[in-house]
Amino acid sequence: MTKTIVITGASDGIGAAAARQLADSGHRLLLVGRSAEKTGAVADDTGGEALTADFARLDDVRALAGRIDDLLGDDGLDVLANNAGGIFGDRTPTVDGHEKTIQVNHLAPFLLTNLLLPRLLRSRGAVINTSSVGHRLFGDLDVDDLDNERRFSANKAYGDAKLANVLFAKSLHTRFHADGLSAVAFHPGTVRTNFAADSSSLMRLVYRSFLGRLILTGVEEGGSILRWFIEGTPDETWFSGAYYDERTLSNRVNPQVDDPALAEALWQKSAELVGIPAS
C-alpha cells in the first residue's frame, strides 16, 4: 500500500536517510526542512516534494500546514513523522517568546499535528514522534515552567522536550485511537549526526570526539528505524501509545510518562501556548 508521508527534519540526519531509503517505495514524500537548499537536494534524490519551515517560528509552522493542505487537496495524510529537533545552547527565546528547545522539539510539532489532524483522521493515519532516551535521563517536566525559566540547562531542556514527545504520543492515542489514529514515540539510537552542533551541552563534545564516532549509531541505521515505523502497520508492527527503544517496545521510561494527569495538563498548556483550542 502506498502512503502519503510528511517527514520533518528531512534535510539531514535520520530524516534524510529515511527519505532516501523510501525513495523507490512508491510513497508520496513531503519533506520538510529548515534549509531550502539541503531539503531540495534530498527531494531531488528521492522524488519527494521539498517544503521549508523554521520550527523556531510558529508562523512558519502555520504556513507549512497550509501549504500541505494545498498540496494534498482532498486527500488524507497517512503518516506524519515529527522528526525535527535538536539540543541547543543558552536559554534564548524564539520570536514567539518560548525557549527554543521546547518550541522546536515539542510546541511546533504539536501545532503541526493538530493542524493536520483532520487529514490524519480521514486516512486513519499515524503520528510518529522521534524522541530520545534523554527523556528518561534528563527529563523533569513542569507544565508551569515549560520554558525552564527557573532551572535551565541544555540537557534538562532537551530531556523535557523529548519527554513531551512521549506524552504527546500517549495523548494522541488516548484521544483519537478509537477514531482510527495511531501514535508512537521512539528512541532512534544515539545517532551520529550534527544535531548537537549548536549546543553548549557536554553531548556536543561526545558527538565530535573519537569515542563518539565509535559508540554512536550510523545515520543509515537510524534512518532505517524511522522507516520501520513509517512503513509499519500500527498495532501489528508497533503498538499505538507506546514508547520504543529503537525497534523494541520498552518500559524503561521516565516515571512521568505514566502520569495521565500530566499528559492532559501538557496538552492543555501546549494548546494555550500555540493558540489552538484545547479540546
Side-chain angles (χ1 to χ4, degrees):
M1 170 187 169
T2 58
K3 299 180 178 182
T4 299
I5 301 163
V6 172
I7 304 175
T8 71
S11 63
D12 202 352
I14 71 170
R20 290 189 171 101
Q21 292 170 22
L22 290 164
D24 298 325
S25 62
H27 301 308
R28 183 179 183 183
L29 302 177
L30 278 63
L31 307 177
V32 181
R34 186 177 61 174
S35 163
E37 181 179 359
K38 292 169 68 175
T39 311
V42 178
D44 288 344
D45 288 346
T46 61
E49 300 161 71
L51 300 167
T52 305
D54 182 352
F55 277 20
R57 307 181 69 91
L58 293 180
D59 278 347
D60 274 23
V61 178
R62 298 181 184 101
L64 170 64
R67 179 65 177 141
I68 292 171
D69 278 337
D70 290 341
L71 287 171
L72 295 187
D74 295 329
D75 294 338
L77 177 60
D78 297 296
V79 179
L80 171 58
N82 286 320
N83 174 67
I87 182 169
F88 304 107
D90 296 336
R91 193 189 165 278
T92 303
T94 67
V95 295
D96 303 288
H98 307 302
E99 191 276 318
K100 186 176 182 180
T101 314
I102 196 69
Q103 177 163 325
V104 170
N105 289 273
H106 170 64
L107 292 176
F110 177 88
L111 175 59
L112 181 63
T113 304
N114 276 277
L115 294 175
L116 296 177
L117 192 57
R119 292 187 181 278
L120 287 158
L121 289 169
R122 189 182 314 164
S123 295
R124 301 180 68 84
V127 177
I128 298 162
N129 291 342
T130 302
S131 182
S132 167
V133 70
H135 91 275
R136 178 169 57 84
L137 299 176
F138 308 123
D140 184 15
L141 196 64
D142 179 353
V143 169
D144 294 322
D145 189 27
L146 288 181
D147 290 328
N148 274 305
E149 292 182 351
R150 294 192 287 269
R151 302 192 286 150
F152 179 83
S153 74
N155 280 354
K156 181 181 184 302
Y158 181 70
D160 287 354
K162 295 291 104 178
L163 175 55
N165 294 157
V166 181
L167 289 166
F168 182 36
K170 289 179 76 70
S171 289
L172 285 167
H173 173 84
T174 299
R175 287 168 172 260
F176 302 111
H177 193 56
D179 299 318
L181 183 74
S182 299
V184 70
F186 76 103
H187 169 60
T190 308
V191 182
R192 190 167 53 244
T193 70
N194 65 359
F195 97 106
D198 297 328
S199 173
S200 58
S201 163
L202 288 174
M203 280 203 245
R204 181 185 185 205
L205 301 179
V206 173
Y207 272 69
R208 291 190 166 192
S209 69
F210 175 73
L211 175 62
R213 289 193 294 273
L214 290 178
I215 66 175
L216 298 179
T217 303
V219 171
E220 291 304 313
E221 174 59 18
S224 74
I225 295 168
L226 176 56
R227 177 184 180 178
W228 183 78
F229 284 97
I230 288 172
E231 291 202 299
T233 301
D235 295 329
E236 293 182 18
T237 310
W238 48 264
F239 292 103
S240 182
Y243 169 76
Y244 282 74
D245 187 349
E246 301 183 21
R247 295 177 180 85
T248 303
L249 182 65
S250 177
N251 60 7
R252 296 188 67 205
V253 294
N254 188 305
Q256 289 186 301
V257 168
D258 296 319
D259 184 348
L262 177 65
E264 178 61 20
L266 176 64
W267 184 289
Q268 298 291 327
K269 188 65 174 182
S270 300
E272 174 191 332
L273 294 176
V274 301
I276 62 172
S279 58

